[in-house]
Amino acid sequence: MPPAPAPGMVAAMIAPLLVLLAAAQAAAVPAPSDPIAADWKPIPDDELMVMTLGDGHRVVIRLASAYAPEHVANLKRLAAARWWDGESVYRVQENWVAQWGDPTEKKPLPADIVARPAAEYEIAGFAPAQRMRKADAYSTASGITADGWPVATDGKAAWLTHCYGMVGVARDVSPDTGTGAELFTPIGQSARRLDRNYTVVGRIIEGMQYLSALPRSGAEMGFYATEAERTPLASVRLASDIPAAQRPHYEYRAADNPRFGLAIAKRERPDPPMVAIGASVCDVPLATRRVETGG
Amino acid sequence: MPPAPAPGMVAAMIAPLLVLLAAAQAAAVPAPSDPIAADWKPIPDDELMVMTLGDGHRVVIRLASAYAPEHVANLKRLAAARWWDGESVYRVQENWVAQWGDPTEKKPLPADIVARPAAEYEIAGFAPAQRMRKADAYSTASGITADGWPVATDGKAAWLTHCYGMVGVARDVSPDTGTGAELFTPIGQSARRLDRNYTVVGRIIEGMQYLSALPRSGAEMGFYATEAERTPLASVRLASDIPAAQRPHYEYRAADNPRFGLAIAKRERPDPPMVAIGASVCDVPLATRRVETGG
């Protein structure tokens, strides 16, 4: 195997030995930072949005129903109306965002849509199950909620953070101009400067690579100059609207347990110690998994 | 234009007005945070590495000669020997890195290569021309050097930071196993946890989108499972080794001036104030530009 940046490589080499040691024990137990069965919680079928691209690849979005209820309700109405079917990913700007919906802004919205929902940039309060050890450049504290969302605060307000793969509501200048019909996800270094300035409605939990690897547009703000460059959306459905036999089910790793805390601590205090200190809230792996039955 | 996450949108709308106003003045002067002619400095031709992909697209790397001299000297020897010609980008791991060189690790290295250079993870000292206002999660302070490189410190050591688009030396477990023949660049959220653990040798200043948009490999650690998936490298040359008529010239924006400081301050204290606070060192635009003559 060629040389590789793999800070966990030593750990990876030791891991098989640990597995052997564990197997030798009468009752093998998971390492302290590994999840146990109780750490996995189902994501409700109606909080999963399955976006199928024209080439059949699937992008699965977990919806942040509890944090942006009005916008997520709009997303559910748009999916129920099959509003996105035949629309496209029409903007891919290098080191910034991929964005999808209707590039013409002329397609009529479903009648039950809230046309000008109030901004939901902030959430009710800052109550993470796990706090990051060190403040970052964008907030005074940050952490992960019990239900697995990255959050930050300035000591007064709190908000979901624009980490790579989070899904936000695109809008015009006025804060109430985003219905949820146009969505974006950060595909580069960071979009934390959008925090508290855009409504976060979800996170991509599968298929991110089908958006992040799309060709970048060199045109203004990354909007593709031609229709041919766009990536078609074949269909966008809530999982709950997919026939039971084909319906996917997912679980998230809950953060309100000491195993999650240990996993963060490992990342924040890497071994060997002669390496960079700390980790940001966007570096915390927020694990989800597909399960064959559930929900 | 469809709704768009564009935190600078108000600024963008106002900018044309400012241009008109400026044009109306007898002697238009740049806005205080814009560079002036003296802010642009030439990048020496032998500190520019031009990597031409099989499809003709070019990726241009500025070399960090002053910060990792032994490894950069190796890179120059490899380019002079045309060692990378016909090799490939053989690893693209989602939200992590793109990596190139010889995937077999069997190609003999040029005779003048330092086969086991000592690690150059740290730089001589922390002396940025511009300091970030707030510490980040990975360091106690960070900033931009006069010659336009992002740096951080823990109060003792200092290092170049693994921002998106920086170029690092891949290696095996031992710190002296990276010659520079295998290189990588972060293509996702952040690779700051590689800080002080890998030698940084440069930064991609043009053509990053031809690496960041490559198809991700689902195989272990993102190494393409088949040769057909790899992206060929047609040639890799120092600009100084390209015939004068075809040779590109670039300049960087120097940071040791109040205009650069104001540009950072604008990003750290966005307007309107009701948005996330701060900015990380990796958010600072490190401008370069191609010039028709120079060097």
Side-chain angles (χ1 to χ4, degrees):
Chain A
M1 184 168 293
M9 189 171 273
V10 175
M13 293 170 69
I14 294 169
L17 298 177
L18 293 178
V19 169
L20 288 174
L21 283 171
Q25 294 178 336
V29 290
S33 66
D34 286 346
I36 61 170
D39 295 349
W40 295 101
K41 311 280 187 188
I43 301 175
D45 290 351
D46 67 347
E47 295 184 6
L48 282 168
M49 201 159 80
V50 179
M51 192 156 90
T52 305
L53 306 181
D55 62 5
H57 284 133
R58 293 204 320 189
V59 176
V60 180
I61 299 168
R62 181 185 181 193
L63 298 175
S65 304
Y67 302 98
E70 198 166 9
H71 285 82
V72 169
N74 264 1
L75 264 61
K76 293 183 179 185
R77 293 178 193 117
L78 287 156
R82 313 199 161 188
W83 189 85
W84 283 294
D85 294 16
E87 294 301 334
S88 66
V89 184
Y90 55 75
R91 177 191 186 196
V92 183
Q93 186 171 6
E94 166 59 11
N95 194 13
W96 192 232
V97 296
Q99 183 170 324
W100 60 93
D102 164 32
T104 71
E105 283 194 282
K106 287 180 181 163
K107 184 171 181 172
L109 294 166
D112 56 353
I113 281 286
V114 177
R116 295 182 76 92
E120 295 178 298
Y121 304 164
E122 297 175 1
I123 62 176
F126 182 69
Q130 304 292 340
R131 272 176 185 257
M132 300 307 290
R133 188 164 61 99
K134 231 172 144 288
D136 63 27
Y138 313 94
S139 58
T140 55
S142 59
I144 309 296
T145 63
D147 57 346
W149 293 92
V151 289
T153 183
D154 64 354
K156 287 172 271 185
W159 57 87
L160 293 181
T161 54
H162 281 78
C163 302
Y164 184 93
M166 298 289 278
V167 176
V169 173
R171 61 168 171 82
D172 288 321
V173 175
S174 173
D176 64 358
T177 49
T179 59
E182 314 304 315
L183 298 171
F184 69 88
T185 188
I187 58 168
Q189 165 70 42
S190 169
R192 293 290 303 277
R193 65 182 185 272
L194 299 179
D195 283 8
R196 279 186 89 187
N197 205 9
Y198 284 82
T199 298
V200 174
V201 288
R203 189 169 79 81
I204 294 173
I205 61 171
E206 195 178 290
M208 178 63 186
Q209 69 272 29
Y210 304 119
L211 298 178
S212 63
L214 289 175
R216 275 52 173 164
S217 166
E220 195 185 0
M221 290 175 73
F223 291 97
Y224 288 127
T226 63
E227 197 175 324
E229 294 171 89
R230 296 175 189 152
T231 297
L233 301 177
S235 71
V236 179
R237 296 282 180 281
L238 289 183
S240 53
D241 197 27
I242 294 173
Q246 290 89 50
R247 186 183 307 174
H249 299 280
Y250 288 82
E251 294 176 336
Y252 70 92
R253 181 180 178 179
D256 55 352
N257 57 74
R259 294 163 296 283
F260 201 102
L262 272 169
I264 294 182
K266 271 190 185 179
R267 183 147 281 189
E268 288 184 315
R269 297 178 180 83
D271 185 38
M274 210 290 289
V275 293
I277 57 174
S280 99
V281 68
C282 288
D283 295 328
V284 176
L286 301 173
T288 58
R289 64 180 188 183
R290 187 166 174 181
V291 287
E292 286 312 305
T293 58
Chain B
M1 185 167 289
M9 188 172 275
V10 175
M13 293 169 68
I14 294 169
L17 297 177
L18 293 178
V19 168
L20 288 173
L21 283 171
Q25 295 177 336
V29 291
S33 66
D34 286 346
I36 61 170
D39 295 348
W40 294 102
K41 311 279 188 189
I43 301 175
D45 290 351
D46 67 349
E47 295 184 7
L48 281 169
M49 201 159 81
V50 179
M51 191 156 90
T52 305
L53 306 181
D55 63 4
H57 283 133
R58 294 205 316 189
V59 177
V60 180
I61 300 168
R62 181 186 180 191
L63 298 175
S65 306
Y67 302 98
E70 199 166 7
H71 285 81
V72 170
N74 264 1
L75 264 62
K76 291 183 179 184
R77 292 178 193 117
L78 288 156
R82 311 197 164 188
W83 189 85
W84 283 295
D85 294 16
E87 295 300 334
S88 66
V89 184
Y90 55 76
R91 177 190 186 197
V92 183
Q93 186 171 8
E94 167 58 11
N95 194 12
W96 192 232
V97 296
Q99 184 171 322
W100 60 94
D102 164 32
T104 70
E105 283 194 282
K106 289 180 179 160
K107 184 172 182 172
L109 293 167
D112 56 351
I113 280 286
V114 177
R116 294 182 76 91
E120 294 179 298
Y121 303 164
E122 297 175 1
I123 61 176
F126 182 69
Q130 304 293 339
R131 273 178 183 256
M132 301 307 290
R133 188 164 62 99
K134 231 172 144 286
D136 63 28
Y138 313 94
S139 59
T140 55
S142 59
I144 309 296
T145 63
D147 57 346
W149 293 93
V151 289
T153 184
D154 64 354
K156 287 171 270 185
W159 58 88
L160 293 181
T161 54
H162 281 79
C163 302
Y164 183 95
M166 297 290 277
V167 176
V169 173
R171 61 168 171 82
D172 287 321
V173 175
S174 174
D176 62 358
T177 49
T179 59
E182 313 304 315
L183 297 171
F184 69 88
T185 188
I187 58 169
Q189 166 70 42
S190 168
R192 291 291 302 277
R193 63 182 186 272
L194 300 180
D195 283 8
R196 277 187 88 185
N197 205 9
Y198 285 82
T199 297
V200 175
V201 288
R203 189 169 79 82
I204 294 173
I205 60 170
E206 194 178 292
M208 177 64 185
Q209 69 271 28
Y210 304 119
L211 298 177
S212 64
L214 289 175
R216 275 52 173 164
S217 165
E220 194 185 0
M221 291 176 71
F223 291 98
Y224 287 127
T226 62
E227 197 175 326
E229 293 171 271
R230 296 176 189 151
T231 297
L233 301 177
S235 71
V236 179
R237 297 280 181 282
L238 290 184
S240 52
D241 197 28
I242 295 173
Q246 289 90 47
R247 187 183 307 174
H249 300 280
Y250 288 82
E251 295 176 336
Y252 69 93
R253 182 181 176 178
D256 56 351
N257 56 74
R259 293 162 297 282
F260 201 102
L262 271 169
I264 294 181
K266 270 191 183 178
R267 182 147 282 189
E268 288 184 315
R269 298 178 180 83
D271 186 39
M274 209 289 290
V275 293
I277 57 173
S280 99
V281 68
C282 288
D283 296 329
V284 176
L286 300 172
T288 58
R289 64 179 187 183
R290 187 166 174 182
V291 288
E292 286 313 303
T293 58

